[in-house]
Amino acid sequence: MSDYNPMLSAPMGANKKKRIIGRGSSSGRGTTAGRGNKGQQSRSGGKTYVGFEGGQMPLYRRIAQKGFSNYPFKKEYVCFNVSELEAKFSAGETVDKKSLILKGLLSKADTLIKILGDGELTKKLTVQVDKVSKSAKEKIEKVGGSVTAAQETAVAEKTDKSAENADKEK
């Protein structure tokens, strides 16, 4: 910084000094500190929530609640195509949560997995995931692989239990 260059300085009014308030009456911004006199806005913590209507029943509570939201029960699946399995796995390997994490395809172990049928598969793989699409299942089984979907086993267990209960009732 040997020479002063006026071309590099900020234009007038670009840099303003911060206005400090509530530091005594001699500062010019003391006493009420720009909040005015009395009232809720002048008090500390004197804020209302979004949708507050001065004590009147707010609109979002006046309107009747209709219908049902499935949001709390929503299941989100991490999808993998058959082409990704072809690229990352070698023949005879098992595709499950643990192997997907080890290969760097999946980051969390508590996620649900679905295999989709986009791409081609030439390797025999054993797939043990939560869901498998129809086309993916056909492609995996076509090359001699096996598919076990957690949803299918859960449905099978449910039907077995219902069959057992029906036998007990007779």
Side-chain angles (χ1 to χ4, degrees):
M1 298 287 298
S2 59
D3 293 328
Y4 168 73
N5 188 347
M7 295 302 286
L8 294 178
S9 61
M12 284 295 288
N15 299 327
K16 286 188 172 181
K17 192 178 176 189
K18 184 184 170 192
R19 185 178 279 168
I20 297 170
I21 58 170
R23 294 292 179 268
S25 57
S26 63
S27 68
R29 296 226 165 252
T31 60
T32 58
R35 287 171 171 254
N37 296 316
K38 299 183 192 171
Q40 189 172 11
Q41 311 296 70
S42 71
R43 316 280 191 228
S44 66
K47 297 175 195 79
T48 58
Y49 50 85
V50 177
F52 182 70
E53 295 183 20
Q56 174 179 301
M57 186 63 71
L59 181 69
Y60 72 91
R61 288 190 58 199
R62 286 197 303 263
I63 296 171
Q65 189 177 10
K66 288 180 81 177
F68 170 76
S69 173
N70 197 46
Y71 184 76
F73 312 104
K74 182 172 77 169
K75 291 182 181 177
E76 283 194 34
Y77 288 85
V78 176
C79 297
F80 295 103
N81 281 307
V82 173
S83 57
E84 292 175 89
L85 302 182
E86 174 74 26
K88 292 279 185 174
F89 288 89
S90 57
E93 278 192 282
T94 304
V95 180
D96 58 355
K97 286 182 185 181
K98 197 180 246 184
S99 63
L100 287 165
I101 290 168
L102 290 171
K103 301 271 182 186
L105 293 169
L106 192 66
S107 57
K108 293 180 188 171
D110 62 339
T111 52
L112 297 169
I113 302 163
K114 184 173 182 176
I115 306 294
L116 303 174
D118 188 37
E120 291 301 315
L121 187 68
T122 57
K123 300 167 187 170
K124 181 181 175 183
L125 298 171
T126 308
V127 180
Q128 296 171 338
V129 291
D130 300 300
K131 261 187 175 181
V132 182
S133 72
K134 200 174 188 179
S135 60
K137 188 173 182 177
E138 287 171 4
K139 287 178 182 181
I140 294 164
E141 289 174 346
K142 186 180 173 185
V143 291
S146 64
V147 177
T148 353
Q151 194 177 30
E152 288 176 9
T153 54
V155 170
E157 287 173 8
K158 208 176 206 181
T159 53
D160 290 344
K161 285 181 183 175
S162 61
E164 287 174 16
N165 289 341
D167 291 340
K168 286 179 184 176
E169 288 175 5
K170 289 181 182 178

